Every structure is written in structure tokens, then in C-alpha cells.
Amino acid sequence: MHYDLIIMGGAMTGSTLALALSARSQGRIRIAVLEKQVPHQHLNSGFDARTIALSHGSCRQFDTIRLPGGQTLWQQLQPFATPIKRIHVSDKGHSGIVEFNADEFQLAQLGAVIELSRAGDVLLNAMVQYPNIDYLAPADIDRIARSQTGVEISLKNDRTLSAQLLVGADGTQSTAASAAGIQMDLLHAYGQTAIISNIQVQQPHNQRAFERFTDEGPIALLPMRDNLMSLVWCVKRPQPLLRLDDQAFLAALQRRFGWRLGKLQQCGQRAAYPLNLYRASQHIQSRIALIGNAAQTLHPIAGQGFNLAIRDVMSLAEILARQYSAQQDIGDYHGLQQYQQNRIADQRQMMRLTDGLLSVFANQLLPLQIGRNLGLMALSQSALLRRHFAKPALGWR
């Protein structure tokens, strides 16, 4: 089977690239999406659903992807998304508090939270509408070979696929990157682990998101449907918390977060993953490009990882669609260089932003405690400062 493009990784980043390219080329670019997991309808939906936060900029990007039925991708995702209309930021043990409100930016919402399973269903159903996209799952890869003219992938079911370009959208431990000898460099080991769960709260969340900084790391609570909150709790020692029963876990979280949402009443299944800052040593090579977590993996503070990935996706889609329209080789190294040049400043800015926030808010030196408290107080008093600070988090370029 020969394609123009093979995308390795069929989760949200890879699937969005397939749809963005198909929309921009009127379905003429032949695409194979390889996913190692079998898609499951509404896996872990409801109380135990895993979620992702979309910035305002990402919602706008989804709204530029027009599907064959006439609707945009965002129009299909929006019914399953919970708007974020306010973001409350605080520092435990200090008086500095700032709140970002959609109204002051003349926006209907600052972003949105969506269940991954619901978003996955929408993306899969959208790809079915394009005959140029083959979604292959589960895809078990045996070998990846590159030449001057293309890339060839052998699957363990004896199928062989070829294309002009391979895009790695398969996460931090990217098979596509490994096949090209691209290393994932560890830039910062944070010594933190993120505990993920969903929390039922007593008081209405009123579409508010919370970011609370503590001496161990940030706590984020994001609004979901049915008055649930999606929890990301960054801690130094996760195992004692993971061993607690639900009520003891909620009591520990209540002590760290406080009572702004009333009593924390119930929690869902808990999961945990270590937090580090990674960046691929190269984002392109001959016939290979990396996007999303395969190119850089950020700390979840401020929820910027996936939103940065979407900007990777849209930049690459624009370049490849333009090359294809001009009847140029979409795997040509010079075109890939343009993608890398377009993205490097944004990628480095977001790495500095997330890394810098952690350095300031996880440090207990007294001068830094005073400085960040004064900074939060200044933000709370200045609309101009809030707008400047919020611009990158909103995904505005």
C-alpha cells in the first residue's frame, strides 16, 4: 500500500493532523494513521473519564478544520466540552490571588475541558468521512526503513506500507523518532509525579478552573459535566497518597486545596505518572517529522502540552498542503526545515514558561515567596498585566 503520508500515532494529535491535512487538500492527500491500540467507544467515560484542557486558541484552530458534512471539527467537539469561563490562581499559605475572567478578554470562554473518549469518538467518526484516510488499529510495527525517496513500514501482519513522509505523533517514547536515531533529551527531572483523578465537589464549579501552587507542586482542578472536577495533583511522594482509601485521599487533598469548592465528596479511579521536561534532539530528519509529545513533553502546569501540539499540527498541515498543491514532494527536507523554523520559537517559549513557573512557585526561599505573592497581587490589580500574562496560555500567537 502506498500513501503520501503515514502518521504514527492515532490519538488526538495524529488524528487531528490527518483531518487538518484532508480538509486543506479536499481529501486528495492519501494518509495512513497507525495506532497500536484498538479504539474503544467511550472507554473510561463518565465518572472515571480522562480529560484534556483546550485553550481558546486550540478551539479556534479546531474551528478552521471543515469536515465533509459542512460542520467544523470544533462544532462536533463542542457539545461534549465544558467551557472554562474563569481561572482562579492561588499560592498556598500566601494571600496573593488572581482570577482570569473570560468577560475581560471579550471571550465567551477561556478554553474548554473535554473527555478524551468523547473527543476520540468524534475524531474517528470524522476520519471515516474521508476516503483518503486509512486508520489502521491495532498496528504492530516490525520495521521502519528510510531511503532518499521515501519511508517503508513493515507490519507484523505481513503488510508493507510506503510513503513520502512519516510523521511521529506517538508520544514521548516515539517509535518514529527511535527509527531515525533521534534521542529524547531529558532537560529537567522535576522529582514530581502527577496524580490524576476526577472529584465530585459540593458547591457548583460554575465553569471555574483552579490552579493552586503548593510547596510540592501545583494542584489543578478543571470543570467537567455533572459538577465533576478533573484533578491533576503534582506531588513529590505519590505512593502514600495512592495507598490511601478514597475518603483519606480526599481529606489529604482538601487540606492542600482548601474549601473553595466546599467539601470534596467523592473521587474516581486514580492514576499517576512521573513528570519531566523532554525535548527531541531533532524535530525533523530526512523523510521524518515529529509533532506533539514526540517533539517535546512539558510539565502539565498551565495545561499547555496538548495546546502546543495542536500548533505543531496546524503549522505542519499548512506546509504539507501547500507543497502538495504545488505538486512538490511533501517529504522534501527543505519543506520540513520550514516547519522546524516556524515552530522553534513557540516551542522554546512554552518550555521556558512552564519550567519558569515551576522554578518560581515550587521554591520555598523567602525572597521568592515574597516576590511571587507580590506578583499575584499585581496581576489581580492590573488588567494589562493579566492580558500579557494570559496571552500565551490562551494560545494566542
Side-chain angles (χ1 to χ4, degrees):
M1 296 289 293
H2 181 73
Y3 298 89
D4 298 303
L5 171 69
I6 296 173
I7 300 171
M8 191 171 294
M12 285 191 69
T13 302
S15 297
T16 302
L17 176 61
L19 291 169
L21 262 173
S22 298
R24 280 161 173 72
S25 68
Q26 288 75 52
R28 291 194 297 268
I29 297 180
R30 294 165 296 172
I31 302 170
V33 181
L34 308 185
E35 171 54 45
K36 62 183 179 181
Q37 304 288 345
V38 178
H40 295 284
Q41 295 276 323
H42 302 309
L43 180 66
N44 286 334
S45 63
F47 195 83
D48 290 314
R50 299 281 75 88
T51 65
I52 197 161
L54 308 176
S55 69
H56 178 261
S58 292
C59 297
R60 287 198 306 186
Q61 297 280 23
F62 284 132
D63 207 35
T64 68
I65 301 174
R66 189 161 295 280
L67 303 175
Q71 283 194 317
T72 67
L73 183 55
W74 175 240
Q75 286 174 319
Q76 295 205 353
L77 289 168
Q78 193 171 17
F80 307 108
T82 302
I84 299 174
K85 297 200 172 180
R86 287 186 289 166
I87 301 175
H88 184 282
V89 182
S90 61
D91 188 12
K92 188 177 187 304
H94 301 89
S95 57
I97 293 173
V98 62
E99 189 160 281
F100 299 90
N101 194 314
D103 291 340
E104 70 175 306
F105 298 100
Q106 291 80 51
L107 298 175
Q109 60 187 46
L110 297 169
V113 180
I114 190 167
E115 295 179 14
L116 283 170
S117 60
R118 299 278 185 176
D121 290 346
V122 169
L123 291 166
L124 285 171
N125 291 334
M127 284 189 287
V128 168
Q129 299 176 49
Y130 281 106
N132 63 298
I133 302 176
D134 287 343
Y135 189 92
L136 308 178
D140 201 355
I141 295 168
D142 184 45
R143 184 179 62 90
I144 300 174
R146 289 181 297 152
S147 68
Q148 289 185 343
T149 57
V151 61
E152 188 175 272
I153 298 179
S154 301
L155 304 181
K156 291 186 178 177
N157 63 1
D158 295 328
R159 294 182 68 180
T160 300
L161 315 177
S162 62
Q164 294 174 310
L165 176 66
L166 171 64
V167 173
D170 50 342
T172 306
Q173 305 302 324
S174 168
T175 301
S178 297
I182 299 174
Q183 295 182 343
M184 183 62 86
D185 296 329
L186 174 61
L187 302 184
H188 198 149
Y190 293 115
Q192 295 179 2
T193 295
I195 298 177
I196 310 298
S197 186
N198 290 338
I199 308 295
Q200 184 78 58
V201 296
Q202 181 182 35
Q203 296 179 4
H205 57 57
N206 293 324
Q207 300 171 331
R208 287 179 298 169
F210 293 84
E211 185 97 38
R212 183 156 175 79
F213 295 100
T214 77
D215 54 355
E216 286 201 14
I219 299 172
L221 283 166
L222 306 175
M224 297 173 61
R225 60 188 178 87
D226 301 326
N227 212 46
L228 291 173
M229 302 292 287
S230 175
L231 169 71
V232 182
W233 185 5
C234 302
V235 298
K236 294 178 180 177
R237 297 175 60 246
Q239 291 307 318
L241 290 168
L242 294 171
R243 286 194 292 264
L244 295 175
D245 62 34
D246 286 356
Q247 290 308 308
F249 176 80
L250 287 169
L253 177 60
Q254 189 96 62
R255 287 192 295 272
R256 301 299 284 174
F257 175 73
W259 293 83
R260 289 183 175 84
L261 289 164
K263 183 176 174 59
L264 307 180
Q265 297 178 320
Q266 188 179 353
C267 68
Q269 296 175 3
R270 285 169 258 165
Y273 62 93
L275 300 175
N276 300 297
L277 176 62
Y278 290 103
R279 186 176 189 273
S281 58
Q282 299 167 271
H283 290 183
I284 61 167
Q285 266 198 20
S286 177
R287 302 291 166 185
I288 287 184
L290 305 180
I291 59 175
N293 282 350
Q296 65 275 314
T297 302
L298 309 183
H299 191 286
I301 189 172
Q304 290 306 301
F306 178 70
N307 296 298
L308 182 62
I310 288 300
R311 298 197 291 276
D312 290 348
V313 164
M314 302 307 286
S315 176
L316 184 59
E318 181 180 345
I319 291 168
L320 297 183
R322 187 166 59 243
Q323 286 181 298
Y324 186 86
S325 178
Q327 298 184 328
Q328 297 174 354
D329 180 356
I330 66 169
D332 178 69
Y333 188 73
H334 295 294
L336 299 181
Q337 281 183 312
Q338 184 183 353
Y339 158 69
Q340 180 169 262
Q341 290 165 0
N342 288 355
R343 295 300 304 133
I344 191 168
D346 185 22
Q347 292 164 348
R348 288 181 176 175
Q349 180 191 21
M350 295 315 301
M351 283 191 286
R352 285 194 301 267
L353 174 65
T354 56
D355 201 46
L357 282 172
L358 279 170
S359 298
V360 170
F361 280 94
N363 197 310
Q364 294 310 298
L365 290 174
L366 183 59
L368 279 177
Q369 291 185 47
I370 295 171
R372 67 186 184 233
N373 193 49
L374 290 173
L376 288 176
M377 293 172 66
L379 278 172
S380 69
Q381 297 298 315
S382 171
L384 185 63
L385 280 177
R386 285 197 300 277
R387 189 173 187 86
H388 176 76
F389 187 82
K391 184 178 177 180
L394 289 170
W396 295 355
R397 310 317 317 149

